[in-house]
Amino acid sequence: MSLEVTDLVVRIDGRTVVDGISFEVPDGSRLGLIGESGSGKSLTALAVLGLLPEGAVANGSIRWNGTELIGLPDRELARLRGDEIGIVFQEPRTALNPIRTVGRQIAESIRIHEGIGRREARERAIQEAARVRLPDPASIVDRYPHQLSGGQRQRVAIAIALACRPRLLIADEPTTALDVTIQAEILSLLLRLVEEEGMSLMFITHDLAVLAQVATHGVVLEDGLVVEAAPVSTLLTAPTSPITQGLLRDATATLWRPEGGRR
Ligand SMILES: Nc1ncnc2c1ncn2[C@@H]1O[C@H](COP(=O)(O)OP(=O)(O)O)[C@@H](O)[C@H]1O
Ligand SMILES: [Mg+2]
């Protein structure tokens, strides 16, 4: 199942914020969208998911497995989200419901998508909690989001995103709000799960060091335009656009062995 975005334009209240971008996420591949804040990364992801904010309009083409998503009815898009395309956002606190146990939130998506009963759903929630390496899964499912650390909450968000075994995971700066050591743990968890499931990954970041760890190809955005698209190894060693060169300078402090392979 592949994602093909062609000449995507997003306008908000008449202002063009994504200006005709094209890229592809072939089955089983890992693509990074990278750019400075405000370059249009999140709106691109939201357009794919059919979750654009009020006043925003998408034009062009977004094909998922051959199906055009632009103009698809909300009900169809809602089914795709979770079932076939999973989402993880930057801030796990806002993605989770504060007054529901994490187990119920993990189970909810499974119940909606697979129609299983309450008891079975709790068992599945425990399994999913273990899968994202949450400590003591059988009891953590009965806790509330505020009782968890930031890293644990992001693990819950990942468990929710992956509970229905989507074929594509879209992760929008999933580690930006976390401490550096926790970031590394979450990135390696995401990669392990993506590999285990053979999922595709569309990963959004402003940090080339992070991109280098998770993606094989990168698309560089500036003001809603693609300024460079290349294998990550090329972006790291021979970036052609000033934007990529700047991102590389910013990342150099945290980059380790840029020539040392995909992670
Ligand atoms: N809900 C919104 N209403 C108006 N403008 C928005 C909204 N969301 C984003 N924008 C604008 O669209 C541009 C791209 O935003 P975004 O895709 O969020 O950038 P990024 O994720 O790369 O930081 C920015 O100029 C931003 O200010
Ligand atoms: Mg963003």
Side-chain angles (χ1 to χ4, degrees), residues 237-249:
T237 53
T240 57
S241 75
I243 285 289
T244 319
Q245 288 161 1
L247 291 168
L248 182 58
R249 275 193 297 277

Side-chain angles (χ1 to χ4, degrees), residues 37-38 41-43 90 172-173 204:
S37 176
K41 306 182 297 296
S42 291
L43 287 173
Q90 176 169 333
D172 187 354
E173 310 246 15
I204 292 176

Side-chain angles (χ1 to χ4, degrees), residues 68-125:
E68 179 58 56
L69 300 189
I70 293 180
L72 203 66
D74 283 346
R75 212 160 42 99
E76 287 288 301
L77 284 166
R79 191 191 60 75
L80 285 178
R81 292 191 296 265
D83 232 8
E84 296 185 13
I85 304 178
I87 328 157
V88 181
F89 291 114
Q90 176 169 333
E91 189 40 75
R93 194 184 277 272
T94 54
L96 300 177
N97 183 335
I99 60 165
R100 284 196 159 207
T101 63
V102 302
R104 277 195 64 187
Q105 296 184 59
I106 296 171
E108 202 166 63
S109 58
I110 303 173
R111 285 182 47 170
I112 290 169
H113 288 272
E114 295 179 19
I116 58 177
R118 194 167 278 259
R119 194 189 169 80
E120 195 187 334
R122 186 173 186 280
E123 284 307 309
R124 278 288 298 278

Side-chain angles (χ1 to χ4, degrees), residues 12 15 17 36-44 53:
I12 298 187
R15 182 177 153 230
V17 288
E36 289 169 351
S37 176
S39 56
K41 306 182 297 296
S42 291
L43 287 173
T44 299

Side-chain angles (χ1 to χ4, degrees), residues 42-255:
S42 291
L43 287 173
T44 299
L46 293 172
V48 171
L49 295 161
L51 292 174
L52 283 173
E54 193 79 5
V57 179
N59 281 290
S61 169
I62 302 172
R63 283 183 176 269
W64 168 244
N65 208 25
T67 301
E68 179 58 56
L69 300 189
I70 293 180
L72 203 66
D74 283 346
R75 212 160 42 99
E76 287 288 301
L77 284 166
R79 191 191 60 75
L80 285 178
R81 292 191 296 265
D83 232 8
E84 296 185 13
I85 304 178
I87 328 157
V88 181
F89 291 114
Q90 176 169 333
E91 189 40 75
R93 194 184 277 272
T94 54
L96 300 177
N97 183 335
I99 60 165
R100 284 196 159 207
T101 63
V102 302
R104 277 195 64 187
Q105 296 184 59
I106 296 171
E108 202 166 63
S109 58
I110 303 173
R111 285 182 47 170
I112 290 169
H113 288 272
E114 295 179 19
I116 58 177
R118 194 167 278 259
R119 194 189 169 80
E120 195 187 334
R122 186 173 186 280
E123 284 307 309
R124 278 288 298 278
I126 294 170
Q127 286 170 19
E128 298 302 311
R131 184 159 169 259
V132 295
R133 303 279 206 272
L134 278 162
D136 199 359
S139 72
I140 209 165
V141 293
D142 296 323
R143 295 211 219 134
Y144 293 88
H146 75 270
Q147 298 173 305
L148 275 56
S149 69
Q152 289 172 344
R153 280 194 292 268
Q154 195 57 299
R155 284 172 196 269
V156 172
I158 292 168
I160 293 170
L162 300 188
C164 297
R165 304 294 183 269
R167 300 310 305 153
L168 169 68
L169 176 65
I170 297 182
D172 187 354
E173 310 246 15
T175 62
T176 303
L178 303 172
D179 292 344
V180 173
T181 50
I182 309 294
Q183 279 194 26
E185 286 177 24
I186 297 292
L187 285 181
S188 67
L189 172 74
L190 271 177
L191 263 184
R192 187 171 57 76
L193 294 170
V194 163
E195 262 171 19
E196 275 175 16
E197 298 293 329
M199 271 181 284
S200 323
L201 178 66
M202 178 176 145
F203 192 100
I204 292 176
T205 180
H206 63 277
D207 186 339
L208 196 55
V210 168
L211 186 85
Q213 288 180 75
V214 297
T216 61
H217 286 70
V219 171
V220 184
L221 296 184
E222 179 190 17
D223 293 337
L225 290 164
V226 174
V227 292
E228 189 165 2
V232 168
S233 56
T234 305
L235 298 179
L236 293 174
T237 53
T240 57
S241 75
I243 285 289
T244 319
Q245 288 161 1
L247 291 168
L248 182 58
R249 275 193 297 277
D250 293 345
T252 308
T254 47
L255 258 179

